[in-house]
Amino acid sequence: MSNIVVFGAGGTAGSRITDEAVNRGHRVTAAVRRPEATSYLSGSVRTVTGDATSARSVRELAADADVMVVALGGGERELWPDAAQTLVDTLRELPDPPRVIHVGGGATLLTPKGTPYLDEPDFPEEYRDAALGQAEALAVYRSSGDGVTWTYVSPPPLEFHPGERTGHYRTGTDHPVTDEQGRSVLTYEDLAVAIVDEIENPRFPNARFTAAY
């Protein structure tokens, strides 16, 4: 059993990661900006006010944590790199820091040409700021050096949506995992499975992975 802090536990990804972890017997602390708005989370979840961009908040929550999951959404472009930098800078000061698992963007995955999906000319403009912010967060982790163990998780770049939990998926690294039709598809529920699997059996320390069917 692990002690897991989930930043953004009230969101689409964070709530599913929280549920998956609780259902497997882990202790979960939901770190959210408005605890009163997360009554739908499991009663066994400890809900606190938390901010991944605050060094003080990260330090306090890290004290009893084995893993800190960053599942933030709906913010300005700076949210994701700010959170990544705060976690790296704060946790490396601790004698035994928790691991970081950052739920990142699928648009940072690479096309067959070797360029990020966010650089494609038809990439939706309404998602560009978030995609750029997640790309900057990945760069923060990759340049972080020693002292913090992190894993950056990218869902598929296009077909990623709420749905059924099957418990099945395949993993890759910097390119999307595709099926026989060339599609890369995954539900939020099975992304949560992949993340909790990584918590229980780490396979991608200091690396990015992606998952799809």
Side-chain angles (χ1 to χ4, degrees), residues 49 62 67 88 90 96 108 117 133 161 201:
T49 302
V67 181
V88 166
T90 305
D96 186 22
T108 61
Y117 277 87
H161 46 73
N201 298 290

Side-chain angles (χ1 to χ4, degrees), residues 95 117 136 179 195:
Y117 277 87
E136 290 164 9
D179 61 18
I195 287 171

Side-chain angles (χ1 to χ4, degrees), residues 106-107 109 117 122-124 127 155-161 176 182 184-186:
L109 291 167
Y117 277 87
D122 59 348
F123 186 81
Y127 301 129
L158 296 175
E159 298 187 69
F160 177 50
H161 46 73
S184 183
V185 183
L186 192 69

Side-chain angles (χ1 to χ4, degrees), residues 45-67:
V45 174
R46 172 181 172 237
T47 304
V48 300
T49 302
D51 181 359
T53 65
S54 163
R56 178 179 178 180
S57 182
V58 169
R59 191 178 300 109
E60 290 175 350
L61 290 168
D64 299 317
D66 300 306
V67 181

Side-chain angles (χ1 to χ4, degrees), residues 151-213:
T151 299
Y152 185 102
V153 187
S154 286
L158 296 175
E159 298 187 69
F160 177 50
H161 46 73
E164 180 185 359
R165 181 196 185 281
T166 70
H168 300 289
Y169 61 89
R170 294 176 295 136
T171 59
T173 52
D174 288 330
H175 293 267
V177 175
T178 57
D179 61 18
E180 293 179 354
Q181 288 74 45
R183 297 174 63 200
S184 183
V185 183
L186 192 69
T187 63
Y188 277 88
E189 287 74 8
D190 281 328
L191 182 73
V193 174
I195 287 171
V196 179
D197 283 350
E198 178 66 18
I199 289 172
E200 295 178 344
N201 298 290
R203 294 194 296 147
F204 299 97
N206 298 334
R208 182 251 291 276
F209 82 90
T210 185
Y213 299 125

Side-chain angles (χ1 to χ4, degrees), residues 20-102:
E20 181 71 24
V22 167
N23 290 339
R24 296 208 212 173
H26 298 287
R27 295 192 189 96
V28 180
T29 297
V32 296
R33 292 183 183 272
R34 296 176 57 233
E36 69 277 6
T38 57
S39 59
Y40 52 87
L41 295 176
S42 168
S44 66
V45 174
R46 172 181 172 237
T47 304
V48 300
T49 302
D51 181 359
T53 65
S54 163
R56 178 179 178 180
S57 182
V58 169
R59 191 178 300 109
E60 290 175 350
L61 290 168
D64 299 317
D66 300 306
V67 181
M68 305 190 98
V69 177
V70 181
L72 304 176
E76 300 295 328
R77 172 176 171 174
E78 294 80 13
L79 174 65
W80 296 280
D82 284 355
Q85 194 67 62
T86 299
L87 285 156
V88 166
D89 290 345
T90 305
L91 296 182
R92 65 157 49 110
E93 298 174 355
L94 304 180
D96 186 22
R99 294 167 53 210
V100 176
I101 295 185
H102 183 111

